[in-house]
């Protein structure tokens, strides 16, 4: 369905000009939903709820502020099959954070896992696609077998902050006693960071798997 949609979108954009929904200028390609200029000028992140979690201090890199445009990007990415937004957002996030990332000795990329039921419903795993996009830019491997999601939690957006924390704290588990790379820093990749509860749950599971150093890259936050 998603491949079909991408082909259809690309084919139609050759005939009918598409317009960037953010700036209104003609944007023939349409990949990534908004045009390159709009990606390039998205606002830097503010200090979200996660910023005040002490154990995340200095460990989280966020590329773009969660705004009206980025809220729509996430919405199209998650609910309208726009997988192209996932790969574009990984690319633009690395571009935005290249100075910060260049100072870290990274061993590999870990996507925040979705529950298999959610992936089946959606037809794709947007975090895995973002992770591969980030990994391609940084020329690093993706480790999608270090942690897994063991509970299918309700969509976070419907919950209060306290409910989110309770909901998510034990939703992840180490999947394997894995890989002989436990000395390096792993980069945990998520599409959106809000309270920080999801990444805290993941970091806990990654540590249980035997890895000490984890940094977080969230595209939006
Ligand atoms: Zn634009």
């Amino acid at each position: 369905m998603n491949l079909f949609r991408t082909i259809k979108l690309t084919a139609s954009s050759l005939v009918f000009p598409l317009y960037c929904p953010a700036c209104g200028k003609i944007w023939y390609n349409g990949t990534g939903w908004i045009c390159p200029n709009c990606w390039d000028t998205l606002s830097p992140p503010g200090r979200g709820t996660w910023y005040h979690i002490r154990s995340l201090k200095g460990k989280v890199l966020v590329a773009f502020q969660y705004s009206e445009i980025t809220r729509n990007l996430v919405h199209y990415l998650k609910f309208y099959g726009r997988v192209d937004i996932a790969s574009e957002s990984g690319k633009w996030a690395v571009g935005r954070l290249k100075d910060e990332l260049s100072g870290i000795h990274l061993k590999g990329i870990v996507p925040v896992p979705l529950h298999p039921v959610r992936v089946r419903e959606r037809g794709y795993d947007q975090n895995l696609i973002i992770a591969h996009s980030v990994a391609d830019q940084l020329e690093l491997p993706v480790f999608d077998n270090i942690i897994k999601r063991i509970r299918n939690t309700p969509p976070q957006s419907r919950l209060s902050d306290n409910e989110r924390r309770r909901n998510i704290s034990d939703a992840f588990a180490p999947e394997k006693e894995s890989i002989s790379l436990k000395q390096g820093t792993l980069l945990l990749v998520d599409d959106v960071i809000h309270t920080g509860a999801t990444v805290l749950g993941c970091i806990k599971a990654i540590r249980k798997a035997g890895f000490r150093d984890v940094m977080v890259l969230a595209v939006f936050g």
Side-chain angles (χ1 to χ4, degrees):
M1 177 274 176
N2 297 317
L3 178 63
F4 176 70
R5 189 190 154 75
T6 304
I7 292 167
K8 200 173 137 196
L9 197 69
T10 307
S12 68
S13 70
L14 296 174
V15 184
F16 305 105
L18 294 173
Y19 294 87
C20 170
C23 67
K25 290 183 181 156
I26 290 176
W27 167 221
Y28 286 98
N29 183 320
T31 302
W33 196 58
I34 58 175
C35 72
N37 188 54
C38 282
W39 273 106
D40 202 31
T41 52
L42 285 177
S43 303
R47 293 180 173 181
T49 314
W50 62 269
Y51 185 84
H52 304 287
I53 296 177
R54 197 183 305 171
S55 59
L56 290 179
K57 276 264 184 302
K59 294 190 179 308
V60 178
L61 305 172
V62 183
F64 306 110
Q65 186 166 47
Y66 202 58
S67 62
E68 195 183 331
I69 294 173
T70 58
R71 193 164 29 247
N72 282 324
L73 278 168
V74 172
H75 195 73
Y76 277 85
L77 168 61
K78 286 188 175 180
F79 305 114
Y80 288 91
R82 289 294 302 258
V83 288
D84 56 309
I85 293 173
S87 38
E88 284 296 298
S89 62
K91 191 179 86 181
W92 285 100
V94 169
R96 181 63 66 90
L97 297 168
K98 61 180 182 299
D99 290 345
E100 292 90 333
L101 288 166
S102 68
I104 311 166
H105 184 59
L106 291 171
K107 284 288 189 184
I109 310 297
V110 179
V112 168
L114 305 187
H115 193 275
V117 170
R118 186 69 58 81
V119 175
R120 218 163 30 241
E121 284 167 0
R122 189 167 289 157
Y124 55 92
D125 177 340
Q126 79 273 6
N127 282 345
L128 184 61
I129 299 168
I130 296 170
H132 275 285
S133 175
V134 169
D136 286 350
Q137 303 295 314
L138 299 174
E139 300 183 342
L140 288 168
V142 172
F143 300 128
D144 59 356
N145 62 349
I146 292 177
I147 52 171
K148 62 183 173 181
R149 198 154 192 144
I150 51 175
R151 277 199 295 123
N152 191 15
T153 51
Q156 293 281 293
S157 54
R158 290 192 212 136
L159 305 175
S160 72
D161 286 358
N162 279 338
E163 284 170 333
R164 280 168 199 259
R165 289 196 192 95
R166 274 201 302 275
N167 179 39
I168 208 82
S169 64
D170 292 312
F172 302 93
E175 185 161 41
K176 287 181 184 171
E177 263 305 308
S178 40
I179 321 179
S180 56
L181 289 170
K182 294 182 179 175
Q183 299 305 315
T185 301
L186 294 176
L187 186 65
L188 178 68
V189 168
D190 203 359
D191 50 2
V192 183
I193 186 167
H194 182 59
T195 64
T198 300
V199 295
L200 278 175
C202 288
I203 290 170
K204 197 167 114 185
I206 290 171
R207 295 224 165 109
K208 273 190 196 162
F211 295 84
R212 293 305 316 152
D213 297 319
V214 184
M215 288 288 293
V216 177
L217 183 159
V219 179
F220 306 110

